[in-house]
Amino acid sequence: MGTLEKPPSRRRRRAFTRAAVVAAGLLVAGLLVFALSRLGFHRIGHALITASPGWIVVAFVLMGSSLVLRAAAWHETLRAALPETQIGWAPVVRAAMIGVMASAVFPGRIGEPTRVLVLSRRIEGPSRILLPIVAGTLVSLTLINLLALALLAGVTFTSVRLLHGHVAGVLSVLAVPLALCGLVLAGPRLLAFGGRSRRPRVVRASAAIARVLDLARQGLVVFTRPRYGIATVTLQLLAWTLQWLACYAVVLSLGLQSQASLGTAAAILLAVNVSAILPATPSNVGVFQAACLVVLAAYGVGAGPGLAYGILLQAVEVLTALLLGIPALLGEGLTWQDIRPNQDTEAEQAEDG
């Protein structure tokens, strides 16, 4: 039998997707080159060349330590979700580092599903049961991350003079993780009303959303066990603190401390994380630098040093991810091809769905 040809519609869709990705990459590259030409290469180059190596090393150490603490927090969450299963420390660390590297190198947020798949291979039990449980543990970490972002937003509000006294803004930011947690906890009960609808589409949609929220609730089990919950929250927030200090270490390396403070570093960390929610390019290149540039400009830092800061900070993040991720990849016996997103497979799965 001959091989079946792919339907023309699928080929056109895949070709359109690739063309859109190439066009977006060319657009970002063009805008970046234009910005560099207007800012002046000599200013950016001078700032990078004169950066203090000692503070850059400190930034690397802080960033790497932050990633290790995040892995430790995930390990505690997994122990709470799978109390009867022996979960080794090394597989969790390797899976976490591979996930971070995948997000840093490839476009799209593939790091989370990648580390779930990598770790699930190392845990005894059927995949159909383990995969949703391991994926559910990431919900707990996401809620803690939202809390960390809310705290960073609070520091940012208090460090910018224009925002002084705007307590309502700070409270609204802090309410986001609490509202999401309430939705996860109460969502299935609310959706039960949709399940009693006379419309089949409403019933199917309610059932699908309820399954997702049930998975999220399964991941929140760590918060019902203080032994693991306290450790998870402490480790995750400490990891964010070290990453915050790494951002400030880059400030010190460029000698910008007279204009940029710890509050500025908090604003930068908040901005780059918000801008990475929907990454448009690999490692969010271009958007990352723009976020740093905008924040530093608000604090009076010039465009040249501001862009140099964005380049240097992202170099620290990506190189740290590679230095920790490549050994983890080799330790798991995997290759780049194993963690690289397969557009053809994704397109076929979308077509089948």
Side-chain angles (χ1 to χ4, degrees):
M1 293 178 59
T3 57
L4 295 175
E5 294 184 1
K6 291 183 173 60
S9 60
R10 184 181 300 175
R11 292 200 301 268
R12 285 196 299 269
R13 187 185 301 112
R14 190 161 60 248
F16 177 78
T17 301
R18 290 174 178 172
V21 171
V22 172
L26 291 175
L27 178 61
V28 172
L31 292 174
L32 185 59
V33 171
F34 175 75
L36 291 173
S37 63
R38 295 297 298 269
L39 294 174
F41 287 96
H42 65 283
R43 298 177 184 174
I44 303 169
H46 179 267
L48 293 173
I49 293 173
T50 58
S52 171
W55 284 115
I56 294 176
V57 171
V58 171
F60 271 109
V61 173
L62 290 171
M63 195 69 69
S65 301
S66 172
L67 296 180
V68 172
L69 287 178
R70 289 177 186 273
W74 189 29
H75 184 258
E76 292 300 306
T77 307
L78 288 162
R79 290 177 63 193
L82 298 166
E84 305 298 328
T85 305
Q86 185 70 25
I87 301 176
W89 163 255
V92 174
V93 173
R94 288 197 297 266
M97 298 311 159
I98 292 172
V100 170
M101 181 178 63
S103 294
V105 173
F106 299 112
R109 301 187 62 84
I110 70 166
E112 301 303 300
T114 297
R115 65 166 164 168
V116 169
L117 292 173
V118 170
L119 181 63
S120 297
R121 304 172 353 165
R122 296 295 184 182
I123 302 178
E124 294 183 1
S127 298
R128 62 184 179 80
I129 296 177
L130 290 175
L131 280 174
I133 294 177
V134 175
T137 60
L138 299 182
V139 177
S140 300
L141 300 180
T142 299
L143 288 176
I144 302 174
N145 289 339
L146 288 171
L147 173 60
L149 289 175
L151 294 175
L152 287 173
V155 174
T156 301
F157 269 88
T158 57
S159 64
V160 180
R161 293 181 180 180
L162 294 176
L163 300 176
H164 281 177
H166 290 69
V167 181
V170 178
L171 293 178
S172 64
V173 174
L174 291 174
V176 172
L178 297 177
L180 289 176
C181 184
L183 176 63
V184 169
L185 293 175
R189 295 183 180 179
L190 297 176
L191 289 170
F193 293 101
R196 293 194 291 267
S197 174
R198 296 180 179 179
R199 298 182 179 181
R201 290 185 178 181
V202 175
V203 173
R204 288 196 298 269
S206 299
I209 298 174
R211 285 194 295 270
V212 174
L213 292 179
D214 282 337
L215 175 61
R217 293 178 70 183
Q218 190 174 4
L220 292 172
V221 68
V222 67
F223 297 121
T224 65
R225 300 180 178 178
R227 174 186 172 187
Y228 299 109
I230 294 175
T232 299
V233 174
T234 301
L235 289 169
Q236 193 75 351
L237 292 182
L238 184 56
W240 276 96
T241 302
L242 293 183
Q243 192 174 1
W244 176 14
L245 294 176
C247 293
Y248 188 63
V250 178
V251 169
L252 296 176
S253 73
L254 293 172
L256 302 176
Q257 60 269 26
S258 61
Q259 298 166 288
S261 63
L262 275 171
T264 311
I268 291 170
L269 185 56
L270 175 65
V272 297
N273 276 276
V274 171
S275 68
I277 293 177
L278 294 174
T281 61
S283 302
N284 216 25
V285 175
V287 180
F288 186 102
Q289 284 72 29
C292 295
L293 192 62
V294 169
V295 171
L296 288 171
Y299 288 87
V301 177
L307 187 54
Y309 177 92
I311 294 172
L312 192 55
L313 178 61
Q314 188 168 43
V316 169
E317 288 194 359
V318 173
L319 289 177
T320 302
L322 290 173
L323 289 172
L324 295 176
I326 291 176
L329 195 69
L330 296 175
E332 285 293 318
L334 301 174
T335 64
W336 284 104
Q337 193 66 29
D338 295 324
I339 66 172
R340 189 178 134 193
N342 190 323
Q343 292 183 351
D344 293 347
T345 302
E346 291 174 358
E348 292 175 2
Q349 289 176 349
E351 184 73 17
D352 295 338

